[in-house]
Amino acid sequence: MTQQSILLDGLPVPFEEGQTIMDAAMAAEIFIPHLCHHPEFKPQGSCKLCTVKASGRYVSACTMPARDGMEVENNSPDLNDKRRTMLQMLFVEGNHFCPSCEKSGNCMLQALAYELEMLSPHFNQFYPNRPLDASHPQVLLDFNRCILCELCVRASRDVDGKHVFSLSGRGITKHLIVNAESGRLADTDFSLTDKAAHVCPVGVILEKRKGFAVPIGQRRYDVDPIGMQVERLAHRTTTEEEI
Amino acid sequence: MTDECVGAERLGELLQPIIDGHGGDPGMLVQILREAQEALGYLPAAALTAIARAVGLPRARVEGVAGFYSFLHLQPVGRYRVLFSDNITDHMLGSVELMDRLCNRLWIERGKVSEDGLVSVDTTSCTGLCDQGPALLVNGRAMTRMSAERIDRISEMIRAELPLDDWPREYFRIEDNIRRRDALLNTCWPAGEALRAALARGPEAMLAEMRTSNLRGRGGAGFTTYIKWESARRAPCRGEPPERYIVCNADEGEPGTFKDRVLLSSYTDLLFDGMSVAGFTIGATRGLLYLRGEYAYLLPALRENLARRRRDGLLGTALCGQDGVCFDIEIHVGAGAYVCGEESALLESLEGKRGVPRIRPPFPVTVGYRGQPTVVNNVETLCKAALIAVNGGAWFAGLGTKQSTGTKLLSISGDVEMPGIYDYPFGVSVAQVLNECGAGNAQAVQISGPSGTCLGMHEFSRHVAFEDVPTAGAFMVFGAHRDMFEVARNFAHFFAHESCGFCTPCRVGTSLVANCMDKIADGHGSQYDINEIFKIHRLLHVASHCGLGQSACNPLFDTLNKFRPAYERRLRSLDFEPAFDLDQALAAARQMTGRDDPAAHFGLAARVPGVTT
Amino acid sequence: MEAVVQNRKLRLATTSLAGCFGCHMAFLDIDERLLDLVERVDFDRSPLTDIKQCGACDIGLIEGGICNAENIHVLQEFRRQCKVLIAIGACAVNGGLPAQRNHLSLGQCLQEVYLTWPGIVSGQIPNDPELPLPLDKVHPIHEIVRIDYFIPGCPPSGDAIWKFLTDLLDGRTPRLGHPLLHFD
């Protein structure tokens, strides 16, 4: 049988049966912006940053199965403009103050904003009130930065088998909760060794007493822009993710 | 009832029978939570823990589900919980003023529980009583035709703590308001007529009739019903035990739609016949009716009907005496989430989860309820299938137009003399409908609800059909004196309230446009804000996960194109205006400092000579 | 016509609202390039000139967000006077550090600081009309007036500011790529 391929921005990109557009692109080291996708977990398709145009329709690259001969538009002004707008939506929805965030320089949201030249949040800030949870001895939860990607939900449920995290509410009031009647992380069975502790793409789940360990200039996305790190992103595992 | 009122022991006593009633099945979580709330008044944290333990789910999952639905409460609510239907048609009948009146009479603030825990008053999305509004729900029971007089009486009854059963029956009366009968509404067959006809035809022949009929889904999308049935019939059952399902979508949440309410009330047997016919044809033995929470008051009559059908051999094993033909129907009740009208979100809700639309493919016909092949059909679609079983596909195809066969129920409300249900062959012109329902001075019609199309006067010659103006049935008429900006603003808030929050563009975008509309309404808007609405529309239309987000800005887009002056006359400038009221932003500081000098104000300061601005 | 545009010296104004002057310090980090800059621009209102009122300008640089009534007056003055208005730094762009008070009620803040803080005896919330009143929330400047360009960073580096300004002066749409574009 001949090799099946999609046409990604005019370039033939091979894929195996069952792979999504995202899988095929990552394997070919072509960057499609994404936040809620992680190669170790079941695709979710909620952040919509990976929106591409396949056969004329806008779809999520991380959930859309690749089909032989499918023409996919990825790196175009139209799509990057839409992605930038969605990033701006994520920025105003939460409280993202990069200068005081431990994850700055290693944060995917921030790195994508650089990649897509997002210079301002554009929209009006929501400034939601989202108190911290500092109850756990090892880990701090700063909900201000949550982008609702559900990676921690998936990691805890599917890998750790603990169900520490879940989402509640809906619409703009949707929010992350933990598995305890008190609502406190300390009252769950969460541990620093959990996969879920190492999967947050932004600065919500943070190891205590370890912030700002890497000097500015040497952090992950100081070194290379995220668009140049596809190979690492494609093969990343949660164990190598630093907090 | 509060946490302190219910001790752990008493909590267990109250919850155990509910959980046992559902066999401790985590898939029945939404039903369990609904019933637990009925017993407890609301869902205290300890109850969620107890339910989670009893059904074997993580507590956070249970809290996540409870937090999703509007009618499930994690905080105490009033012993009398009054919810005014917030559709624009209710507004047009005076609901906003009536709610203020009730709040004033009861000395309470909207959305807050009175200090004695007696009462709370708030709004809820359209309750499907637009033809007899203003409507409200009190403790889940629907009340119609509210007036100042009724509101005053209600406030007295609440203060006197009169049980709902002793309130005037008249207040709870719900009319069918059938105004025009055609192929569907003319039927008055005995129960089982359509089922017997289908059994006589056999599944293959029944499917062939469905194909001939070219029946398309009545929920709005217009997908060919035959293809759904055929696909589900062919799809392999993956689960243990192998099963297929017929799901009736009675989550009639589109504002302005109420035809299913009438079918569920007065054509119950036709609907259950239709479900049974579908089950027999695709080889399903179980049917599920997903009834929107707002229609929970229909539950006793529906259950009674199911019991009668079981007694009469129209449900259960050996349908109509035929050995090996089994079908039964159970009813699930929703809990206030418009998005559950989307078929895959509905399946999630049926499985006891948050009503978030699934990733498709796979489609429900192959992987549906509990992973099994499932047909999800609208109430009206299933009633039409029953007609086809009796009269045949060719008869049905002879009605309506070539691409839109049969008749369509329209739910007509707004500025018309005779609001109610109209059965028309597809292809009828908007003008004819307007003429026959007594819409004298219409300037606009919102067809198929907020997610549909807003037609202006110049488009009234268009036709109701999938090939021209498709519709799920809502037909809201706006007279020349109505403000189409306020119509669109109402719809913008509806979508912001109902967005499930799964995908970024819809979750944030629907709130951003609702805020934009409020800013314009408050007289602080500019052309910039209008451009923002267009920009957000372009994004949501293509990048949202499901139809809710994709259509959320439609009413704004339509009214901006067709009723632009309604927006423009509210604008303060054509350039740019601040995001918030500058003077209001100083109010807190004025209060704390006791200052009221010109420099303590914006706007005022500009008018005082000698003060630099 | 082209020559006229190129030869005229542009007027530049700068100010700091609810900011820490860190962006102005970063501006000075362009070091000796400041000498090149003054060949091409004249400074209007700015901490560098001590001019108190902004005159008609080509470019306005605003550091800091909006936390009180005076900030709004100054920002509006800049918008009226400057053809091109630039938000510089994290506070101007999204409220920054001062905006982290936004989840607190202003009334409670004032009460705590001036009335109930331990050690305060017969405290009083300042109410002199000379003092600008604080807003209930801190806002980024693009929520008050139209902003033409943004230079994020806390602060943006001297190199980023230089790249941005020279792009602007030379007639190029300013672009900040890796590593000049950063939010911290």
Side-chain angles (χ1 to χ4, degrees):
Chain A
M1 194 178 138
T2 55
Q3 175 68 58
Q4 303 189 91
S5 66
I6 58 173
L7 214 57
L8 188 55
D9 286 335
L11 190 78
V13 171
F15 70 92
E16 305 294 328
E17 195 59 43
Q19 282 193 314
T20 60
I21 296 172
M22 177 70 80
D23 296 332
M26 291 264 244
E29 291 184 29
I30 294 170
F31 183 61
I32 300 178
H34 60 270
L35 281 169
C36 72
H37 180 70
H38 190 295
E40 274 196 293
F41 303 101
K42 204 176 131 212
Q44 145 126 344
S46 67
C47 77
K48 296 292 167 190
L49 261 292
C50 73
T51 298
V52 293
K53 218 168 166 180
S55 310
R57 285 181 53 230
Y58 292 86
V59 298
S60 299
C62 71
T63 56
M64 179 54 69
R67 276 202 322 272
D68 195 29
M70 186 186 246
E71 286 187 42
V72 181
E73 175 186 317
N74 170 39
N75 190 8
S76 68
D78 167 49
L79 287 167
N80 286 336
D81 190 51
K82 289 190 163 56
R83 291 164 180 159
R84 194 180 307 110
T85 303
M86 289 190 277
L87 281 175
Q88 288 167 324
M89 286 177 167
L90 288 170
F91 268 87
V92 296
E93 178 190 26
N95 296 310
H96 297 277
F97 299 113
C98 297
S100 54
C101 177
E102 297 86 336
K103 199 64 179 264
S104 191
N106 297 315
C107 166
M108 276 185 80
L109 179 71
Q110 187 192 57
L112 277 180
Y114 298 167
E115 182 74 16
L116 294 166
E117 291 190 66
M118 188 199 106
L119 298 177
S120 88
H122 179 82
F123 299 111
N124 300 329
Q125 297 280 350
F126 284 83
Y127 291 133
N129 183 10
R130 299 183 185 169
L132 309 186
D133 180 352
S135 62
H136 194 276
Q138 295 166 301
V139 171
L140 171 78
L141 293 182
D142 188 340
F143 296 107
N144 288 295
R145 303 151 181 171
C146 184
I147 54 168
L148 306 163
C149 69
E150 291 188 61
L151 274 170
C152 59
V153 176
R154 285 177 273 168
S156 186
R157 181 189 64 206
D158 301 341
V159 182
D160 303 327
K162 286 187 176 181
H163 303 270
V164 170
F165 298 102
S166 190
L167 293 175
S168 190
R170 78 171 188 224
I172 199 71
T173 65
K174 190 170 86 158
H175 58 279
L176 191 63
I177 56 170
V178 301
N179 194 27
E181 189 175 310
S182 65
R184 289 161 21 111
L185 188 66
D187 297 328
T188 69
D189 52 355
F190 184 73
S191 144
L192 187 57
T193 56
D194 288 357
K195 274 239 181 196
H198 305 273
V199 76
C200 183
V202 294
V204 179
I205 305 174
L206 298 163
E207 185 177 350
K208 286 184 171 177
R209 295 169 289 276
K210 207 193 150 191
F212 307 104
V214 182
I216 291 179
Q218 296 168 33
R219 301 166 305 183
R220 177 173 293 153
Y221 300 112
D222 292 337
V223 181
D224 279 313
I226 190 167
M228 309 275 282
Q229 302 193 27
V230 195
E231 194 185 352
R232 183 190 62 77
L233 289 169
H235 299 106
R236 79 195 128 140
T237 58
T238 44
T239 42
E240 71 173 36
E241 293 277 324
E242 65 215 47
I243 292 191
Chain B
M1 224 176 271
T2 62
D3 274 314
E4 298 81 55
C5 298
V6 188
E9 206 172 298
R10 177 92 184 105
L11 191 64
E13 272 173 40
L14 285 167
L15 291 178
Q16 203 54 52
I18 294 169
I19 291 158
D20 290 344
H22 294 287
D25 181 358
M28 298 299 286
L29 182 60
V30 176
Q31 307 308 306
I32 292 169
L33 289 170
R34 272 193 65 95
E35 290 168 28
Q37 179 170 277
E38 266 173 45
L40 301 170
Y42 78 106
L43 295 168
L48 297 181
T49 308
I51 291 170
R53 196 175 300 129
V55 300
L57 283 174
R59 189 191 182 283
R61 254 284 294 283
V62 175
E63 185 182 342
V65 171
F68 184 85
Y69 295 93
S70 290
F71 289 171
L72 297 178
H73 310 292
L74 303 179
Q75 301 296 327
V77 291
R79 293 195 292 283
Y80 291 87
R81 177 162 171 73
V82 182
L83 293 172
F84 280 82
S85 178
D86 200 34
N87 190 25
I88 186 68
T89 54
D90 294 287
H91 285 207
M92 284 154 56
L93 293 165
S95 66
V96 176
E97 295 75 17
L98 292 175
M99 183 169 71
D100 287 345
R101 188 181 183 102
L102 184 61
C103 287
N104 287 338
R105 299 260 151 170
L106 293 168
W107 291 91
I108 54 170
E109 214 178 305
R110 179 197 151 175
K112 293 197 176 147
V113 186
S114 61
E115 275 179 30
D116 54 3
L118 176 68
V119 58
S120 54
V121 176
D122 210 335
T123 57
T124 189
S125 297
C126 180
T127 55
L129 293 159
C130 321
D131 55 336
Q132 45 207 303
L136 57 80
L137 300 175
V138 56
N139 294 356
R141 291 173 64 173
M143 303 180 75
T144 55
R145 289 175 294 270
M146 284 299 122
S147 61
E149 191 193 341
R150 287 190 173 193
I151 287 295
D152 293 352
R153 179 84 188 95
I154 287 172
S155 75
E156 286 161 19
M157 292 188 293
I158 289 174
R159 274 189 302 204
E161 303 198 34
L162 195 67
L164 284 183
D165 287 337
D166 298 339
W167 289 23
R169 285 276 176 87
E170 168 67 13
Y171 289 19
F172 298 97
R173 207 180 77 223
I174 293 168
E175 304 281 358
D176 277 353
N177 287 334
I178 294 174
R179 309 288 190 181
R180 187 184 194 279
R181 292 173 192 272
D182 208 305
L184 176 56
L185 299 183
N186 272 328
T187 36
C188 50
W189 296 325
E193 182 83 3
L195 176 58
R196 281 185 290 272
L199 291 172
R201 289 181 193 275
E204 302 286 348
M206 183 60 215
L207 204 56
E209 294 299 332
M210 289 297 289
R211 179 174 204 164
T212 308
S213 75
N214 199 23
L215 170 65
R216 294 170 70 174
R218 270 18 182 191
F223 194 78
T224 306
T225 308
Y226 154 78
I227 295 176
K228 266 194 189 179
W229 287 23
E230 169 79 4
S231 311
R233 184 179 145 85
R234 280 212 213 140
C237 304
R238 297 145 195 266
E240 196 51 54
E243 183 60 284
R244 291 188 177 83
Y245 295 95
I246 296 293
V247 171
C248 172
N249 184 346
D251 191 45
E252 183 174 49
E254 190 72 41
T257 317
F258 46 88
K259 63 181 178 74
D260 294 345
R261 184 197 81 218
V262 174
L263 293 175
L264 289 159
S265 316
S266 302
Y267 291 80
T268 323
D269 274 308
L270 194 66
L271 169 63
F272 288 152
D273 264 13
M275 288 181 73
S276 309
V277 167
F280 168 68
T281 308
I282 72 154
T285 60
R286 281 181 68 194
L288 303 161
L289 175 78
Y290 187 90
L291 184 71
R292 73 185 299 225
E294 289 82 348
Y295 290 172
Y297 59 86
L298 297 174
L299 205 49
L302 289 168
R303 288 208 170 121
E304 208 173 290
N305 186 299
L306 290 177
R308 185 167 44 76
R309 289 178 73 92
R310 283 185 199 109
R311 279 199 306 274
D312 295 348
L314 297 173
L315 283 176
T317 52
L319 291 194
C320 303
Q322 289 204 15
D323 280 339
V325 183
C326 315
F327 192 72
D328 212 325
I329 295 172
E330 60 188 82
I331 302 173
H332 285 239
V333 186
Y338 163 74
V339 71
C340 291
E342 196 280 341
E343 63 175 10
S344 66
L346 186 150
L347 294 175
E348 290 287 293
S349 185
L350 275 179
E351 292 179 5
K353 301 173 188 160
R354 293 163 60 84
V356 174
R358 294 176 178 173
I359 294 163
R360 296 175 302 168
F363 291 93
V365 286
T366 52
V367 183
Y369 181 62
R370 301 198 182 210
Q372 307 275 25
T374 303
V375 165
V376 184
N377 280 155
N378 177 263
V379 172
E380 188 184 345
T381 311
L382 289 161
C383 290
K384 298 263 151 89
L387 298 192
I388 292 162
V390 174
N391 295 332
W395 164 80
F396 192 83
L399 304 168
T401 72
K402 197 163 185 304
Q403 289 178 53
S404 312
T405 54
T407 63
K408 180 78 193 86
L409 294 189
L410 299 180
S411 315
I412 301 186
S413 63
D415 295 315
V416 299
E417 281 166 30
M418 286 167 297
I421 300 296
Y422 292 70
D423 193 6
Y424 274 110
F426 261 126
V428 66
S429 75
V430 172
Q432 186 189 336
V433 176
L434 285 171
N435 189 36
E436 292 178 12
C437 69
N441 65 345
Q443 64 167 333
V445 185
Q446 186 73 31
I447 296 193
S448 204
S451 67
T453 315
C454 181
L455 297 184
M457 286 166 79
H458 61 292
E459 297 164 294
F460 289 171
S461 58
R462 292 181 65 181
H463 300 269
V464 175
F466 293 112
E467 58 268 39
D468 189 0
V469 187
T471 183
F475 195 101
M476 289 185 273
V477 180
F478 302 100
H481 58 299
R482 298 296 178 187
D483 183 347
M484 294 309 291
F485 171 84
E486 279 302 331
V487 173
R489 187 162 80 99
N490 175 261
F491 294 161
H493 279 278
F494 167 75
F495 284 115
H497 177 68
E498 296 294 347
S499 168
C500 81
F502 174 74
C503 71
T504 307
C506 176
R507 182 179 70 245
V508 187
T510 53
S511 279
L512 285 173
V513 290
N515 292 346
C516 257
M517 292 296 278
D518 285 351
K519 184 185 172 194
I520 296 171
D522 291 343
H524 297 290
S526 69
Q527 184 62 45
Y528 179 91
D529 299 297
I530 289 183
N531 296 345
E532 288 292 285
I533 293 171
F534 278 121
K535 173 182 164 148
I536 294 168
H537 168 69
R538 284 193 297 274
L539 175 70
L540 263 60
H541 195 60
V542 298
S544 297
H545 177 62
C546 79
L548 190 156
Q550 287 158 13
S551 58
C553 294
N554 284 0
L556 286 76
F557 183 77
D558 279 353
T559 49
L560 268 167
N561 281 318
K562 297 170 189 177
F563 299 91
R564 200 174 175 102
Y567 289 73
E568 285 167 341
R569 66 173 176 233
R570 289 186 157 79
L571 301 185
R572 174 163 288 196
S573 83
L574 293 179
D575 179 29
F576 186 95
E577 286 294 319
F580 55 95
D581 183 332
L582 301 182
D583 191 58
Q584 192 55 38
L586 292 177
R590 276 196 297 269
Q591 195 198 346
M592 291 307 287
T593 57
R595 277 177 56 186
D596 198 26
D597 55 282
H601 286 274
F602 272 98
L604 183 61
R607 289 193 295 273
V608 177
V611 176
T612 26
T613 56
Chain C
M1 189 66 198
E2 246 171 57
V4 176
V5 173
Q6 277 177 5
N7 287 341
R8 185 172 72 83
K9 263 182 118 177
L10 300 181
R11 283 191 80 77
L12 172 69
T14 75
T15 193
S16 177
L17 306 174
C20 68
F21 278 92
C23 296
H24 274 79
M25 300 305 287
F27 182 47
L28 297 179
D29 281 343
I30 65 175
D31 296 329
E32 74 282 2
R33 288 169 289 189
L34 196 54
L35 299 175
D36 297 334
L37 188 64
V38 295
E39 294 291 315
R40 305 184 64 182
V41 303
D42 287 325
F43 278 89
D44 196 284
R45 173 174 172 165
S46 168
L48 302 176
T49 60
D50 220 22
I51 297 172
K52 301 296 185 202
Q53 296 288 325
C54 185
C57 283
D58 297 286
I59 302 168
L61 276 175
I62 309 276
E63 170 192 340
I66 297 295
C67 78
N68 64 31
E70 192 213 8
N71 293 156
I72 292 179
H73 290 304
V74 174
L75 179 61
Q76 288 177 334
E77 175 192 317
F78 267 69
R79 181 66 276 182
R80 273 195 304 274
Q81 300 288 13
C82 302
K83 288 186 201 161
V84 167
L85 204 56
I86 303 170
I88 179 168
C91 302
V93 168
N94 77 349
L97 191 70
Q100 299 200 34
R101 77 154 154 96
N102 281 351
H103 66 278
L104 304 169
S105 122
L106 177 68
Q108 281 171 356
C109 284
L110 293 173
Q111 188 154 356
E112 178 101 11
V113 172
Y114 293 107
L115 302 179
T116 58
W117 195 254
I120 290 176
V121 184
S122 62
Q124 192 203 341
I125 296 173
N127 61 359
D128 190 320
E130 289 287 306
L131 294 172
L133 283 185
L135 300 174
D136 54 356
K137 280 188 178 0
V138 177
H139 295 267
I141 63 174
H142 73 263
E143 294 188 8
I144 319 312
V145 298
R146 191 170 45 76
I147 300 297
D148 301 294
Y149 298 100
F150 298 85
I151 312 177
C154 186
S157 66
D159 287 345
I161 295 169
W162 179 249
K163 166 78 166 68
F164 207 95
L165 285 179
T166 48
D167 276 351
L168 204 59
L169 294 174
D170 294 342
R172 297 185 294 269
T173 301
R175 298 281 297 267
L176 293 177
H178 185 86
L180 292 180
L181 174 57
H182 60 85
F183 294 170
D184 56 3

